[in-house]
Amino acid sequence: MLSYPLFLAGACCIFSTIFSEMGYCSRNSENQFENGYIMTAFILSLVGKFAVSISFAIIYLLSAELYPTTIRANAVGIGSFSARIGALLSPLILFLYNIRTWLPGGILGLLAILTGFIGLGFPETYGRPLPDSFADAKKLYKN
């Protein structure tokens, strides 16, 4: 369930970057949205933002379901800390816009798609009880 919004977000990020590059000449014009490429890039970026928001909401629920009760709070805290490190590094990635205008969109899109592939390896938790011990967690990961 987590992977599909990430795939959508990555694809939207990459395609919005491509369309934005195709409409590069119209970026500094008075009305940028007259250019169809810029408008398409804008709509794709909104859809991508929506997909990232869905993923962000799902990851908190999923991380709570994957760990046993004894370490659940710590695991969710470490996951939240990791997300904040990513947010801390995002201005550095956006700074790459000064080097190549397509570089931030390409990097962020590829990272979202890569994360989607990693998410395919998570076990399905729908309809299963939350693991209470490490033995329950191992059983969840084996199925």
Side-chain angles (χ1 to χ4, degrees):
M1 183 67 177
L2 172 68
S3 297
Y4 303 121
L6 286 169
F7 288 142
L8 178 64
C12 284
C13 188
I14 290 172
F15 284 118
S16 73
T17 301
I18 290 170
F19 281 114
S20 180
E21 288 295 316
M22 291 170 68
Y24 183 78
C25 295
S26 299
R27 283 189 192 160
N28 297 326
S29 68
E30 183 102 2
N31 188 3
Q32 296 175 354
F33 293 111
E34 287 178 352
N35 186 331
Y37 293 130
I38 299 292
M39 188 63 172
T40 304
F42 178 72
I43 291 170
L44 283 171
S45 65
L46 289 178
V47 171
K49 172 68 175 154
F50 178 68
V52 165
S53 298
I54 291 171
S55 303
F56 202 68
I58 290 173
I59 195 64
Y60 280 107
L61 296 173
L62 186 63
S63 63
E65 291 178 352
L66 290 179
Y67 295 103
T69 304
T70 55
I71 63 164
R72 187 170 295 140
N74 290 338
V76 172
I78 290 171
S80 178
F81 175 72
S82 300
R84 301 301 169 235
I85 289 176
L88 187 74
L89 294 176
S90 65
L92 297 175
I93 293 175
L94 294 178
F95 180 73
L96 295 174
Y97 184 83
N98 297 331
I99 297 170
R100 295 275 184 238
T101 55
W102 54 267
L103 205 52
I107 289 173
L108 294 173
L110 288 176
L111 283 175
I113 291 171
L114 176 69
T115 307
F117 279 115
I118 292 171
L120 288 173
F122 293 154
E124 180 59 50
T125 60
Y126 180 73
R128 295 187 181 173
L130 293 176
D132 288 328
S133 64
F134 284 101
D136 292 342
K138 285 182 183 179
K139 189 168 73 173
L140 174 69
Y141 283 106
K142 285 184 182 178
N143 293 336

